[in-house]
């Protein structure tokens, strides 16, 4: 392996880790192994701290491929709690409002989910990495500032209802780059004349890379020790 020339690695991002923290950890172990102070390492698509699953990490010259990987179709398994919302649309923030769920049936959920398949417009969450006047939306939102984001056009290829234990549902979503599953949860809640927020999210696939192809970050150091690593001096 040659990390400077460029390698593409697949990780299962741990719960409560930021995407940046995972990149830092990988960079630290590679730098230590190579005995260098700096090496380029980047990820191909952010995952929220409360999400787990497939994260593609590129090193060295392979960081030029990041944009290519970002455009790959993604698959998620999402757990939604109906009847309540949070400002972040997930468990990062406390519940701020509750709504009736007595009218919701499995049939209503299935019919509603169909309306989200295809090309849709979605307003990203205020708690997101989108930029507003050069600043990250989540930095403004966490300060309590008003954040206004414009709708984005994206494509939902598939939505499948996996479990329906009302007021909780579990769905599988196949979607394009730029889809916020938290925002999808918000919109599904509204479409059901109720509210909803995410209580769990796993990215199970990016392109052809599946969760079973990914390594755990805790195993990375030992895995590195077993590799035949080529060291090039610039």
């Amino acid at each position: 392996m040659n990390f400077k020339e460029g390698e593409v690695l697949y990780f299962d991002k741990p719960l409560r880790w930021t995407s940046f923290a995972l990149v830092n950890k990988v960079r630290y172990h590679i730098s230590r192994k190579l005995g260098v102070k700096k090496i380029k390492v980047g990820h191909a698509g952010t995952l929220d701290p409360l999400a787990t699953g497939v994260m593609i990490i590129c090193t060295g010259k392979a960081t030029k491929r990041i944009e290519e990987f970002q455009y790959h179709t993604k698959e998620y398994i999402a757990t939604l709690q109906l009847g309540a919302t949070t400002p972040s649309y997930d468990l990062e923030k406390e519940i701020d409002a509750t709504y009736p769920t007595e009218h919701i049936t499995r049939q209503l959920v299935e019919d509603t989910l169909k309306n989200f398949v295809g090309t849709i417009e979605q307003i990203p969450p205020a708690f997101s990495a989108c930029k507003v006047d050069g600043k990250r939306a989540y930095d403004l939102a966490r300060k309590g500032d008003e954040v206004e984001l414009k709708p984005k056009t994206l494509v939902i290829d598939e939505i499948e209802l996996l479990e329906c234990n009302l007021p909780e549902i579990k769905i599988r979503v196949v979607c394009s780059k730029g889809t916020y599953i938290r925002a999808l949860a918000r919109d599904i809640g509204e479409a059901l004349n109720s509210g909803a927020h995410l209580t769990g999210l796993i990215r199970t696939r990016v392109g052809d890379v599946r969760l079973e192809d990914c390594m755990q970050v805790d195993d990375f150091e030992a895995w590195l020790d077993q590799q035949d690593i080529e060291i090039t001096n610039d």
Side-chain angles (χ1 to χ4, degrees):
M1 305 201 88
N2 191 319
F3 291 106
K4 282 191 178 177
E5 278 304 305
E7 297 293 344
V8 179
L9 306 169
Y10 310 140
F11 286 92
D12 178 0
K13 187 192 80 65
L15 186 66
R16 303 197 188 282
W17 282 45
T18 64
S19 303
F20 189 63
L22 180 55
V23 167
N24 270 351
K25 190 77 166 174
V26 171
R27 186 190 289 117
Y28 167 77
H29 284 307
I30 293 173
S31 300
R32 209 166 149 212
K33 185 77 179 166
L34 297 182
V36 297
K37 282 190 177 165
K38 269 176 82 177
I39 185 162
K40 258 192 183 176
V41 181
H43 68 75
T46 306
L47 267 179
D48 290 330
L50 294 178
T52 63
V54 180
M55 179 152 276
I56 297 177
I57 289 187
C58 301
T59 79
K61 292 176 185 171
T63 51
K64 291 175 183 166
R65 296 185 63 197
I66 282 175
E67 195 174 358
E68 169 202 328
F69 289 123
Q70 284 176 336
Y71 278 95
H72 287 180
T73 298
K74 297 173 181 72
E75 180 186 74
Y76 296 90
I77 303 289
T79 306
L80 282 66
Q81 183 71 32
L82 306 179
T85 56
T86 75
S88 58
Y89 314 144
D90 64 5
L91 295 175
E92 183 186 329
K93 295 286 177 186
E94 298 289 316
I95 288 170
D96 61 354
T98 56
Y99 302 84
T101 57
E102 295 78 16
H103 64 286
I104 299 173
T105 61
R106 183 187 183 104
Q107 189 61 53
L108 180 62
V109 171
E110 288 187 336
D111 291 345
T112 301
L113 292 179
K114 285 174 194 164
N115 297 330
F116 288 92
V117 178
T119 302
I120 64 166
E121 296 279 304
Q122 184 187 76
I123 298 172
F127 288 81
S128 69
C130 291
K131 286 197 171 177
V132 181
D133 299 330
K135 293 177 181 169
R136 295 288 184 193
Y138 55 64
D139 288 333
L140 297 169
R142 283 176 186 138
K143 277 191 216 156
D145 294 349
E146 197 68 36
V147 178
E148 206 168 301
L149 293 166
K150 293 186 171 71
K152 292 188 174 181
T153 303
L154 48 94
V155 179
I156 308 277
D157 295 310
E158 294 176 55
I159 298 187
E160 180 188 1
L161 181 61
L162 299 177
E163 291 175 25
C164 189
N165 303 307
L166 295 168
E168 186 181 88
I169 62 170
K170 189 177 277 192
I171 60 175
R172 182 180 69 87
V173 182
V174 179
C175 57
S176 67
K177 173 187 190 288
T179 306
Y180 282 94
I181 306 297
R182 286 180 290 134
L184 184 63
R186 167 202 66 199
D187 296 343
I188 288 169
E190 285 178 9
L192 288 166
N193 291 316
S194 184
H197 63 281
L198 274 190
T199 56
L201 184 64
I202 306 165
R203 185 154 71 195
T204 48
R205 182 169 65 81
V206 176
D208 295 329
V209 181
R210 297 183 174 276
L211 199 50
E212 51 266 34
D213 303 322
C214 298
M215 77 173 100
Q216 303 300 318
V217 67
D218 289 347
D219 301 333
F220 183 55
E221 194 176 6
W223 178 86
L224 260 184
D225 287 340
Q226 293 168 353
Q227 303 309 306
D228 183 9
I229 297 172
E230 190 184 335
I231 298 175
T232 50
N233 295 315
D234 293 339

